[in-house]
Amino acid sequence: MRVALTIAGSDSGGGAGIQADLRTFAAHRVHGASAITAVTAQNSVAVTDWVALEPRFVVAQIEAVATDMKVAATKTGMLATEAIIVAVAEAAARLPLGPLVVDPVMVAKSGDRLLDAGAQAAYVSRLFPLAALVTPNLFEAEALLGRPIPDLAGMRAAAADLLGLGARAVLLKGGRLDGPAVDVFAEAGRLVELPAERIDTRNTQGTGCTLSAAIAARLALGDDLLEAVRAAKAYLTAALRHAYTVGKGRGPVDHLHPEARRG
């Protein structure tokens, strides 16, 4: 049984964060381990409160897993504070965690900033150089590069420029733009557009968490990086197709959708 580790925040509503990651790992028949960085009070409508854990305790969770199990791949989600980002980077540099997928949770889908400038700088200087893949959304890419990304041509240029920040590969997510859902994958010497069907649903909670977790799961199973990205995108599209309403706001994607159960 392959092991994948998620380092992220807990979502009390169950649609995103650690909860979404572990369901995604389970759908791929990968054993999911976790290191919780923050506990949130949230539901399908809003985040009403959250508390970050002490960095030393985040690291203690990572160490407990990595010294007992052979971790085949790791993903990061909400890291909450600059101190946690630095602590996670130091742990990732010295522990055998497999390829690292970094979802830089800095800006929400609404465009609201989730981290301050110091935390953003820590992502770039400490964590990106350790990442096999970084998966920013358009808002996060705009914050990192300091310029707007209005269209697909801008995405292609931005993906190439993001490589210059230290990651070995970048998946720039284009879901905010109108038209077909196109992401751009970039690594040294290669730029690939990855179109997908745009699913008409309001139930999109946890899509970024789910995509990065699915990529980590596929890497844990032995896929090469671009193959893992393609498979994860197909999985997410199917999960969106079967997304469901729970609560009064945006529901989650269906991580255990029929295609996953058949797989």
Side-chain angles (χ1 to χ4, degrees):
M1 175 66 72
R2 300 296 179 91
V3 176
L5 170 65
T6 171
I7 306 170
S10 170
D11 171 6
S12 57
I18 289 282
Q19 288 81 353
D21 293 344
L22 293 178
R23 286 201 299 274
T24 299
F25 292 162
H28 288 83
R29 289 160 176 77
V30 170
H31 177 78
S34 63
I36 296 176
T37 59
V39 178
T40 70
Q42 67 175 292
N43 52 33
S44 65
V45 178
V47 178
T48 59
D49 202 357
W50 63 277
V51 176
L53 275 65
E54 293 184 19
R56 65 161 189 85
F57 189 67
V58 176
V59 172
Q61 294 173 79
I62 299 169
E63 289 175 337
V65 173
T67 57
D68 178 48
M69 304 174 191
K70 183 178 180 180
V71 179
T74 298
K75 67 146 287 186
T76 67
M78 176 188 182
L79 297 183
T81 68
E82 180 181 355
I84 291 176
I85 294 169
V86 171
V88 168
E90 290 174 350
R94 64 182 173 81
L95 294 170
L97 301 182
L100 178 65
V101 178
V102 173
D103 184 8
V105 182
M106 302 187 307
V107 186
K109 289 186 182 71
S110 63
D112 295 330
R113 292 281 307 206
L114 303 175
L115 290 178
D116 61 22
Q120 178 178 313
Y123 259 119
V124 174
S125 65
R126 304 299 295 270
L127 207 50
F128 282 14
L130 302 175
L133 180 70
V134 176
T135 64
N137 62 31
L138 285 175
F139 288 121
E140 288 157 349
E142 288 173 340
L144 287 164
L145 296 175
R147 67 174 192 257
I149 304 172
D151 51 27
L152 183 56
M155 285 183 64
R156 290 194 293 266
D161 290 344
L162 286 167
L163 286 179
L165 298 181
R168 279 170 276 170
V170 171
L171 179 67
L172 178 53
K173 299 175 291 190
R176 190 188 79 196
L177 299 180
D178 295 332
V182 181
D183 298 340
V184 175
F185 173 85
E187 61 182 356
R190 179 159 65 169
L191 194 71
V192 182
E193 293 178 15
L194 300 171
E197 178 186 359
R198 186 178 291 277
I199 305 300
D200 184 17
T201 177
R202 68 189 294 266
N203 296 322
T204 59
Q205 190 177 22
T207 51
C209 307
T210 300
L211 179 62
S212 56
I215 294 169
R218 296 305 314 182
L219 290 172
L221 291 168
D223 288 3
D224 68 31
L225 185 55
L226 183 54
E227 182 184 14
V229 169
R230 290 187 189 278
K233 281 180 60 64
Y235 165 79
L236 177 58
T237 297
L240 281 162
R241 190 177 294 116
H242 295 280
Y244 55 89
T245 299
V246 59
K248 300 173 183 177
R250 290 186 300 120
V253 303
D254 186 356
H255 302 95
L256 302 178
H257 54 73
E259 285 90 340
R261 287 191 282 270
R262 284 199 297 269

